[in-house]
Amino acid sequence: MIKSLPIRTKTLIGLFAFLFFSSISSLFIATYTQQEAWKVVLEVSLINLLLGILGIAALSRLILHPISRIAEGIYRIHKGDLSSMNSADTGFARCWEVLKCNSKECAVYSKDNLRCWTIAGTYCLGKVQGVYAQKIGDCRRCIIYKYNCGDELYQLDDAFKLTVRDLTATISDLEKAKKEALEYSRQLELSNDEINHLHKYTNNILNSLSAGIIALDESKKIKFFNNSAKRILGIELKNIIGKRLDDAKYKYIDCGSFFEFINNQLKEFEKDGRLLHNIEKGFILNGKEVIININIMPLYGVRYDKDVPLIVVFDNITEQKRFYQEFVQSKKMAELGIVAAKVAHEVRNPLHVIEGGLHYLTKEYHNDEKIAEITELLRDQVVRLDKVTGDLLEVSRPIKGSIEKININHLVLKTLKFMDRSFLEADIDLKITLDEGIPDVPVYPIELERALVNIVKNSIEASNYGSRIRVTTGLVKANERAWIEIIVADNGKGIQDKASLFKPFYTTKPNGTGLGLSIVQKVVNHHKGEIKVDDNPEGAGTLITMRLPLEGTADYAQFNLNN
């Protein structure tokens, strides 16, 4: 029980024992004579000195032992050994044994390593005790506490062990939390990698679509666009993210009409909640007339209201519309060809009979001026009908002949040479400009020559006496394709209704059949080319451009590289 005494008490007890022994020694010495007393005093002094040394040693042991235990514990902690801080001391009094306690529901019952005065929820003094700070006052009066903790230094040692134990538990919790944090970080990194991969994969899908996509957030600001949007609009949109459509309208003036139309549709949507579906509208984008198919739809999976994020999906269908028109025109021409072939066949036989009869009447009544006048008039009409039937047969028959690889410049010169007489009779000044770099291309030469004759003939007939016609060849790149271009420009009266120019039987000439340019278009389409009619930019007149594709030739790749 000496261990449980406070240091002050231990010191007082030692001092009292020393004084008591000194007093007894003095009384004992007083019984001796003076001569014997000196000898006894010396012996008693030596005994007191020895007892003092032993007392000091014992007191030092009581004081320094707990301190040495604390120091030893500190050294072990520095070495990383924390296990000894959790072990019970030898002679550790167990409260359930000393106090004969059978409260097995107590938190420290039968647990050697737990100090009951540091544990909440123990069954002491017949009731459940609180946490350490609340119950320590009662515990200090407990014999178990006094026996196990002892004096102040032993309490300091115990408090040190408790602190180390708590630190050990905290470190353990921190290590566990660190492992959990590392695992969470790893999972988060994997999730981020998956999200980045999915984001990249989704962007690749969107950028692979042929349709343009512009995504708008709730405030109708642009959040995303794909590569096809840039391609269709012909502009770089990277500086438009986070901007409204009004900003885009003024920033990209060449595409302002498109952004203005979309912006107006969004305003209508805010009013009545209706969106666009498969609307085809014409725009001028970067100076070109195009037809755009537009869909505006809400983002999937969000609540549908005026603040919903929107997706604008659009596509350039100019080529599809042109192909469709060409298909309709080809279908009409095919149907016309069937009818024309039958009509021409049925008409030509009677015409030959009529022509034969007119020849007979002219020969038989050559002296009769009245009959001669009538037969001449009829012969002119027969010739006109024969030309119409010939053109009808020309329109209806399929392209014949073989493909030959020729030089377009040679074909143009040959055709113009063939029409020398027509130029001379109309006093036409012919200007020829040929691109010597044009490569040989595979064509149907007879059909192409006939088409060129029709174009030049129309220009001669549309030109005034003494006018000028310019014929030019060259290589161009248009509509993302390479072409050989043949241009015939005159300064005649011009053409008002250019849209009807290639329709069968449309003509502005008194004696025209209206089938010449239909034949030209048929030949050009068969070559997968293009033909268009414009006003002559040099003044009055018409400019007709015929284009033949350069794809498939050995010079195509080199032309693209140079241009």
Side-chain angles (χ1 to χ4, degrees), residues 392-437:
L392 284 173
L393 288 173
E394 185 69 24
V395 170
S396 62
R397 73 176 180 85
I399 299 292
K400 293 182 178 179
S402 58
I403 294 180
E404 298 179 23
K405 194 171 185 179
I406 65 167
N407 186 281
I408 293 298
N409 288 338
H410 295 168
L411 184 142
V412 170
L413 290 174
K414 177 183 176 183
T415 303
L416 296 177
K417 184 68 175 176
F418 172 74
M419 302 185 70
D420 271 348
R421 185 176 182 83
S422 300
F423 287 114
L424 290 174
E425 290 177 352
D427 192 23
I428 298 295
D429 180 19
L430 178 63
K431 298 293 183 181
I432 304 173
T433 304
L434 304 178
D435 185 348
E436 298 299 333

Side-chain angles (χ1 to χ4, degrees), residues 340-357:
K342 292 181 179 179
V343 172
H345 181 72
E346 295 297 329
V347 170
R348 270 199 163 182
N349 289 334
L351 281 178
H352 292 159
V353 174
I354 293 171
E355 188 177 12

